[in-house]
Amino acid sequence: MNHPVELLHPIPDSCSYEAAALAEPLAVVLHACRRANFTSTPPNPRVCVIGSGAVGLLACSLSIALGASSVTAIDIDSTKLDFARNAVGVTDTWQVPLPPKGTPPPKDKEEATQRSKDLANAAMRDLGIAPNDGFDIVFECTGVESCIQMAIFLARPGSRVVLVGMGTPIGTLPISSFALREVDIIGVFRYANCYPEALRLLGSGKLRGVEKMVTHRFPMEQTERAFETLRRGRGENGELVVKVMVNVTSPESAPRVGTMVPPELA
């Protein structure tokens, strides 16, 4: 498979092919951290990551590597939170509770926003965070409207909410909540000039859990099965799916220098 040389990035000797396959989602997270001025004031920020898919898990891992004082993962799926806690090493997790069976949908935008605020308040209460406090940086990695609202309510005054997930194109935001508290809302679209640093980080050993994020592997002839596994979000035995790898060539026969990454399913 031939590519223009200007599109290729050498994989460091210390970076495995499977780790290199995470360069693209890690580049997204790295760009998000740069956009959020992660290493500026306050030092050692308190971080919250909403959504524990591959991008959210990498956001947790990178936040830890960059010196966050604490990292909290929030998701609706307990198995993803278990992975965030046991493999990545986040400080805390909080599972978004499902509404009781038979709960009617919100009757209007105001009620929907209030439900998001109630969830944020419940999370902070359970996590031992004072009502008028919050997180220094909140990475929203789902793109779901209610999660974006929740992210704003979780942010402390003067903090940053980074919209990493691409989902709701037009949504309702609690403007008074973030404007009066001077919470910066930062948009993120993909990345720019991040691949070299992403590959360096993947080969550095500083990112916890990356070696476990490729959870399923398939040969090229089973590509359809790989996509189905990814779509389902669970393996054939009900296990968690984080990243799915399709191996086009064997690691032994594939060239190393100048190779960008093995083809992967994002």
Side-chain angles (χ1 to χ4, degrees):
M1 187 177 295
N2 297 321
H3 298 284
V5 67
E6 65 268 17
L7 299 181
L8 301 180
H9 298 277
I11 300 174
D13 290 339
S14 57
C15 181
S16 69
Y17 279 109
E18 291 200 349
L22 297 170
E24 195 278 338
L26 179 59
V28 173
V29 174
L30 185 60
H31 183 57
C33 287
R34 290 175 177 177
R35 292 273 291 145
N37 293 320
F38 192 103
T39 56
S40 68
T41 305
N44 309 116
R46 176 192 287 172
V47 175
C48 177
V49 178
I50 300 179
S52 295
V55 170
L57 291 168
L58 286 168
C60 291
S61 185
L62 183 56
S63 295
I64 294 170
L66 291 177
S69 61
S70 68
V71 177
T72 297
I74 293 179
D75 201 278
I76 200 169
D77 188 332
S78 62
T79 59
K80 292 181 178 180
L81 294 177
D82 289 341
F83 189 96
R85 183 186 306 107
N86 298 326
V88 179
V90 298
T91 314
D92 295 293
T93 61
W94 193 77
Q95 185 176 3
V96 178
L98 292 172
K101 189 175 181 179
T103 301
K107 64 178 182 294
D108 52 32
K109 294 179 180 179
E110 287 74 17
E111 183 177 327
T113 303
Q114 183 60 47
R115 290 188 183 183
S116 299
K117 184 176 183 179
D118 291 343
L119 285 172
N121 289 337
M124 289 197 291
R125 182 183 63 248
D126 293 345
L127 293 167
I129 300 173
N132 294 324
D133 199 359
F135 294 91
D136 299 306
I137 301 176
V138 182
F139 292 104
E140 203 299 301
C141 299
T142 72
V144 177
E145 182 180 70
S146 59
C147 293
I148 297 172
Q149 295 170 348
M150 186 178 175
I152 292 170
F153 291 122
L154 286 168
R156 69 163 182 80
S159 63
R160 308 173 187 94
V161 171
V162 189
L163 304 182
V164 184
M166 303 291 288
T168 307
I170 299 176
T172 300
L173 299 181
I175 294 177
S176 61
S177 177
F178 69 78
L180 296 179
R181 296 185 300 122
E182 298 188 352
V183 173
D184 293 337
I185 309 297
I186 301 171
V188 171
F189 180 64
R190 300 179 73 177
Y191 39 80
N193 305 314
C194 291
Y195 261 83
E197 178 64 10
L199 288 167
R200 187 194 69 78
L201 282 166
L202 287 165
S204 70
K206 295 180 180 179
L207 299 178
R208 297 183 59 179
V210 293
E211 71 283 352
K212 299 179 181 178
M213 289 186 190
V214 177
T215 54
H216 293 74
R217 302 160 182 83
F218 295 91
M220 187 68 173
E221 58 270 20
Q222 295 184 17
T223 298
E224 183 176 355
R225 183 181 167 204
F227 273 102
E228 175 58 27
T229 300
L230 185 65
R231 183 200 64 79
R232 190 170 57 241
R234 283 287 185 272
E236 294 179 354
N237 297 316
E239 71 277 10
L240 174 67
V241 173
V242 179
K243 293 294 288 183
V244 177
M245 173 86 69
V246 175
N247 293 309
V248 178
T249 57
S250 67
E252 292 77 14
S253 62
R256 188 171 189 84
V257 177
T259 302
M260 186 172 176
V261 290
E264 54 117 9
L265 302 178

